[in-house]
Amino acid sequence: MLSERQMMILRAVVRDFTNTGVPVGSKALAKQLPIHVSSATIRNEMAALEEQGLIKKTHSSSGRVPSVEGYRYYVDHLVKPDPLRPNDIDVIQSSLGGDFHKIDEIISQSATILSNLTSYTAFTLKPELKDSRLSGFRLVPLGKRQIMAILVTDSGDVENQTFDVAGDVDGEQLEAVVRLINDQLVGLTLPEVLKKLQAEIPVQIANYLQSPQGFLDIFGDVLTRAAQERFYVGGRLNLLNFSQDSDVDSLKSLYSLIDKTDDIASVLGQPSDKISVRIGNEMTNDALRNFSLITATYDVDQHGQGMIAILGPTRMPYSRMLGIVGAFREELAKKLLDYYRFYDE
Amino acid sequence: MLSERQMMILRAVVRDFTNTGVPVGSKALAKQLPIHVSSATIRNEMAALEEQGLIKKTHSSSGRVPSVEGYRYYVDHLVKPDPLRPNDIDVIQSSLGGDFHKIDEIISQSATILSNLTSYTAFTLKPELKDSRLSGFRLVPLGKRQIMAILVTDSGDVENQTFDVAGDVDGEQLEAVVRLINDQLVGLTLPEVLKKLQAEIPVQIANYLQSPQGFLDIFGDVLTRAAQERFYVGGRLNLLNFSQDSDVDSLKSLYSLIDKTDDIASVLGQPSDKISVRIGNEMTNDALRNFSLITATYDVDQHGQGMIAILGPTRMPYSRMLGIVGAFREELAKKLLDYYRFYDE
DNA sequence: TTTTAGCACTCAAACTAATCAAGTGCTAAG
DNA sequence: CTTAGCACTTGATTAGTTTGAGTGCTAAAA
């Protein structure tokens, strides 16, 4: 129920405020708007917008600042993604242009690029088939008493861990265990494996090993690591730029949030098809009250769907950011498609 | 050339200031000192100490604060490590008491414990024989086009990396390469290996692989990672507590310093036998101007020498910190000795 | 009915002045 | 050599003032 003019004003308020950080007043708007009306008229319209909860004052006689709802409306109806700057295109092309030997290198590099482009904090998640399955397990004896456990999933994830064992490594025992695992568990999804690991497997393994607990620990460990979605983070330190007046405590909880894989996964939330923007307290987490999160998925055909995200202050230039995220998801998908094509055929 | 009494005063100034953070004046000292003299006398002595550059005023009529030289004198001549609090002993015992399957777990856990005890940032470095040697190399084919390279050193370090290869994995080629590496390079120190890798090896490998460059990259990568000393860091976020008035820039450079393995290695410096304290600008790095670093080595008999360190504000309670570091190095050495004993015999 | 000029009013921010408290150095007496 | 006494310095705190950007409202103009 906003008039054309009110939309125009709301758009201008958001744009101005995200650029300057200063509450914007009627006079400044009057000068800047394409239509020619007086500041008094603007004031009336602004009162109407405030009525609807889209903008608000910081104090009784201040200029206006967008409310969360105002940002929401702006993002949903008014914003148009900026096209990339030529310079940004260069950055992407050159950073993503090199040769890579691992998917993870591309994904982790992407987080860095994205944080550089935006000067915010960026997250990337590699393309993932849901319910990836265990496709192989190895135990490689390394030294006198060292063993490496390697676990491979059908989506190409590899998780490994070395551990020390007491007493000599008995090659036959190892092989028996590996055979058992591969017979019983390969082809199952990781949650299924995890379930079996707590039920039948221990009994069976006890036939081959004297002290199975140590092994079970290790295997469970590697397994849960593999089951976890793994995010790459770029530009962590950029968060420091927005810590208003050095509120150390909230900064700390923000950082611990980012470093906990599980937590950040729950914040980023389920992939949806399009680019999504979550603003301030639209996220449940309290530490994120003054931040906005832009997430986007990208598809790599049959190789599944991945995700990229940037986290910056609520007061971010959305049009530019949406432009960057939109363009980057395409570039990344293209790059990965190339990569898979090269190594798969 | 300090009198007994001057020492007593300097000690009190440092103690008071590290506890309260407030410049300390003559009156407060007079009350607190064991000997009975007037504040005027203290003032005279303080003037003498200032003359020698051990304490200084923050402004012309303020109380005194220790200078870097003052801290130095205090640490070298006046301080006595505090004995551990019973509570601290409990923390160490219980955190280090569990079962571990890897040296690295113990070391990384130690960084966390140490940061908890001190509420500063802690570094730990595992015991290392200088010039560890390459003791084994593997290439394990994992999936259709995935290979894992594993490198083992004689000190038990394991470094690994998976990578994708184009075309089918040729088992024979792999074995030939592995054999070559093991024949030519095992037993050499890592720097020697690195040198050979740039000279003869490429030529020889070209006999077995069509496109050796990819492989050489990977191998070099794993190798340099293994050659690097690896620090564990605990309590990164504690640095935030001491960022005076949110100087974002210096905080940023501090954090990037900490995250660069090479840089932090050069800051921690060469191991010396005892516990060493470096204060403020005694470290060359500018970002550390307001910090002090306490480092200590620990010996695990024939398994080499490791290092622990804590980084906190120049204004830290040295006696307590020295007590903690001193005690912890012993505990850690003991724990590791147990560990080696269990797995080696 | 909508727009606008005009005006009284509000409030944060910047500046000023006044006071306070802690501390110093120095002098002269103990 | 020590100490009481005192004049002096300085950062912090508080209260008061000014400034300027901005608002809402009213009444006239369009």
Side-chain angles (χ1 to χ4, degrees):
Chain A
M1 308 110 272
L2 293 191
S3 70
E4 254 338 289
R5 196 166 65 182
Q6 286 171 339
M7 290 187 192
M8 179 184 291
I9 290 176
L10 177 57
R11 183 193 286 118
V13 169
V14 174
R15 275 229 263 266
D16 222 56
F17 182 67
T18 51
N19 284 334
T20 66
V22 178
V24 0
S26 55
K27 224 163 166 181
L29 278 185
K31 233 179 266 166
Q32 167 189 135
L33 283 183
I35 57 172
H36 201 70
V37 288
S38 76
S39 67
T41 308
I42 308 260
R43 276 203 289 286
N44 290 333
E45 295 287 37
M46 288 190 7
L49 286 172
E50 184 164 22
E51 190 77 14
Q52 306 194 40
L54 297 174
I55 59 181
K56 61 189 177 191
K57 297 185 264 193
T58 64
H59 62 85
S60 79
S61 75
S62 78
R64 300 309 208 295
V65 158
S67 67
V68 171
E69 292 76 16
Y71 282 121
R72 177 85 275 155
Y73 191 98
Y74 173 77
V75 165
D76 288 344
H77 302 112
L78 305 179
V79 78
K80 189 168 85 27
D82 282 358
L84 277 197
R85 300 176 187 166
N87 184 28
D88 291 344
I89 299 178
D90 288 353
V91 171
I92 296 180
Q93 301 276 338
S94 70
S95 318
L96 227 44
D99 263 1
F100 294 88
H101 289 286
K102 299 178 63 177
I103 290 284
D104 286 66
E105 280 173 7
I106 302 179
I107 306 299
S108 114
Q109 171 82 302
S110 293
T112 307
I113 303 171
L114 210 44
S115 75
N116 285 340
L117 289 175
T118 60
S119 72
Y120 298 141
T121 302
F123 305 87
T124 55
L125 172 58
K126 73 163 125 180
E128 197 96 51
L129 306 155
K130 44 182 167 307
D131 301 329
S132 64
R133 290 160 190 283
L134 180 64
S135 78
F137 182 70
R138 306 282 164 81
L139 288 175
V140 185
L142 291 180
K144 347 173 204 182
R145 268 111 185 152
Q146 256 180 331
I147 298 182
M148 177 181 283
I150 308 177
L151 183 155
V152 190
T153 72
D154 63 350
S155 55
D157 278 334
V158 179
E159 207 59 64
N160 71 282
Q161 169 141 339
T162 62
F163 57 103
D164 295 336
V165 289
D168 271 322
V169 173
D170 180 334
E172 285 192 22
Q173 283 187 7
L174 287 193
E175 278 190 34
V177 171
V178 169
R179 217 174 310 123
L180 175 70
I181 301 271
N182 280 309
D183 282 356
Q184 305 263 333
L185 302 178
V186 159
L188 302 181
T189 67
L190 297 186
E192 286 168 357
V193 174
L194 208 48
K195 212 195 279 166
K196 282 214 171 186
L197 190 64
Q198 276 144 12
E200 309 110 83
I201 301 296
V203 201
Q204 302 182 358
I205 283 208
N207 297 333
Y208 305 105
L209 296 178
Q210 299 95 325
S211 55
Q213 196 50 51
F215 169 77
L216 290 173
D217 287 350
I218 304 282
F219 186 69
D221 202 57
V222 179
L223 190 62
T224 47
R225 271 222 308 275
Q228 238 167 20
E229 294 183 320
R230 185 88 114 280
F231 290 92
Y232 290 92
V233 184
R236 277 190 167 72
L237 290 179
N238 289 335
L239 287 179
L240 288 175
N241 297 339
F242 315 113
S243 69
Q244 43 254 33
D245 64 271
S246 81
D247 179 349
V248 172
D249 279 344
S250 72
L251 248 187
K252 275 193 170 185
S253 59
L254 198 53
Y255 272 112
S256 12
L257 174 71
I258 284 186
D259 284 333
K260 292 263 222 72
T261 314
D262 290 342
D263 292 359
I264 190 65
S266 81
V267 169
L268 295 194
Q270 285 317 304
S272 72
D273 254 6
K274 37 177 219 93
I275 298 183
S276 116
V277 180
R278 243 156 315 152
I279 297 153
N281 57 20
E282 292 179 0
M283 293 169 288
T284 47
N285 199 304
D286 211 43
L288 298 175
R289 208 166 348 113
N290 297 300
F291 287 84
S292 281
L293 182 73
I294 302 185
T295 59
T297 55
Y298 61 89
D299 289 303
V300 198
D301 289 1
Q302 79 277 31
H303 297 98
Q305 198 176 50
M307 187 184 251
I308 61 178
I310 62 176
L311 179 69
T314 302
R315 193 211 115 197
M316 61 164 75
Y318 290 93
S319 58
R320 179 163 150 66
M321 292 305 140
L322 288 171
I324 291 177
V325 169
F328 193 82
R329 79 199 290 217
E330 312 262 313
E331 289 300 322
L332 180 55
K334 224 185 295 168
K335 175 75 187 179
L336 286 175
L337 224 44
D338 281 357
Y339 182 89
Y340 282 119
R341 200 171 295 135
F342 182 69
Y343 284 108
D344 276 0
E345 284 161 19
Chain B
M1 309 110 275
L2 293 191
S3 70
E4 252 343 284
R5 196 167 65 184
Q6 286 171 338
M7 291 187 191
M8 180 184 293
I9 290 176
L10 177 55
R11 183 194 287 119
V13 169
V14 174
R15 273 230 264 267
D16 222 56
F17 182 67
T18 51
N19 284 334
T20 67
V22 177
V24 0
S26 55
K27 226 161 164 182
L29 278 185
K31 235 178 267 168
Q32 164 189 139
L33 283 183
I35 57 173
H36 201 71
V37 288
S38 77
S39 66
T41 308
I42 308 260
R43 277 204 287 285
N44 290 334
E45 296 287 38
M46 287 187 15
L49 287 171
E50 184 163 23
E51 189 78 12
Q52 305 195 42
L54 297 175
I55 58 181
K56 61 190 178 189
K57 295 185 265 193
T58 62
H59 62 87
S60 78
S61 75
S62 77
R64 303 308 210 293
V65 158
S67 68
V68 171
E69 292 76 17
Y71 283 121
R72 177 85 273 153
Y73 191 97
Y74 173 76
V75 165
D76 288 344
H77 301 112
L78 305 179
V79 77
K80 189 168 83 30
D82 282 356
L84 277 197
R85 300 176 187 167
N87 184 26
D88 291 345
I89 300 178
D90 289 353
V91 171
I92 297 180
Q93 301 276 337
S94 69
S95 320
L96 228 44
D99 264 2
F100 294 89
H101 289 285
K102 299 178 66 177
I103 291 285
D104 286 66
E105 280 172 7
I106 301 180
I107 306 299
S108 113
Q109 171 81 301
S110 292
T112 307
I113 303 172
L114 210 43
S115 76
N116 285 340
L117 289 176
T118 60
S119 73
Y120 298 141
T121 301
F123 305 87
T124 54
L125 172 58
K126 73 164 126 179
E128 196 96 50
L129 307 155
K130 44 181 167 315
D131 301 330
S132 64
R133 292 161 190 281
L134 181 64
S135 77
F137 181 72
R138 306 280 164 83
L139 288 176
V140 184
L142 291 181
K144 349 173 204 183
R145 268 108 184 156
Q146 256 180 331
I147 298 182
M148 176 181 283
I150 309 176
L151 182 155
V152 190
T153 72
D154 63 349
S155 55
D157 279 333
V158 178
E159 207 60 65
N160 72 281
Q161 169 142 338
T162 61
F163 57 103
D164 295 336
V165 289
D168 271 322
V169 174
D170 180 336
E172 284 193 23
Q173 282 187 7
L174 288 193
E175 276 191 35
V177 171
V178 170
R179 217 174 308 123
L180 175 70
I181 301 270
N182 280 308
D183 281 356
Q184 304 262 333
L185 302 177
V186 160
L188 302 180
T189 67
L190 297 186
E192 287 168 355
V193 174
L194 209 49
K195 210 196 277 162
K196 282 214 168 183
L197 190 65
Q198 275 143 13
E200 308 111 79
I201 301 296
V203 201
Q204 302 183 1
I205 281 208
N207 298 333
Y208 304 105
L209 297 178
Q210 299 94 324
S211 56
Q213 195 49 52
F215 168 77
L216 290 172
D217 287 350
I218 304 281
F219 185 69
D221 202 57
V222 180
L223 191 61
T224 46
R225 271 220 310 273
Q228 238 169 21
E229 294 182 320
R230 185 88 114 280
F231 291 92
Y232 290 92
V233 184
R236 278 189 166 73
L237 290 180
N238 289 335
L239 287 179
L240 289 175
N241 297 338
F242 315 113
S243 69
Q244 43 255 34
D245 64 272
S246 82
D247 180 347
V248 171
D249 279 344
S250 73
L251 248 187
K252 274 194 170 185
S253 60
L254 198 53
Y255 272 111
S256 17
L257 174 71
I258 283 187
D259 284 333
K260 291 263 223 74
T261 315
D262 290 342
D263 292 359
I264 191 66
S266 81
V267 169
L268 295 193
Q270 285 315 306
S272 73
D273 254 4
K274 38 178 216 91
I275 297 182
S276 115
V277 179
R278 244 156 314 152
I279 296 153
N281 58 17
E282 291 178 4
M283 292 169 288
T284 47
N285 197 303
D286 212 42
L288 296 176
R289 209 167 346 114
N290 297 302
F291 287 84
S292 281
L293 182 74
I294 302 184
T295 59
T297 56
Y298 62 90
D299 289 302
V300 199
D301 288 1
Q302 79 276 29
H303 298 98
Q305 197 174 52
M307 189 185 252
I308 61 179
I310 62 177
L311 180 67
T314 303
R315 193 214 115 196
M316 64 164 76
Y318 291 93
S319 58
R320 178 163 149 68
M321 293 303 141
L322 288 171
I324 291 177
V325 170
F328 193 82
R329 79 200 291 218
E330 312 263 314
E331 289 299 323
L332 180 55
K334 224 185 296 171
K335 175 74 188 182
L336 286 175
L337 224 43
D338 282 355
Y339 183 88
Y340 282 120
R341 200 170 297 134
F342 182 69
Y343 285 107
D344 277 0
E345 282 162 21

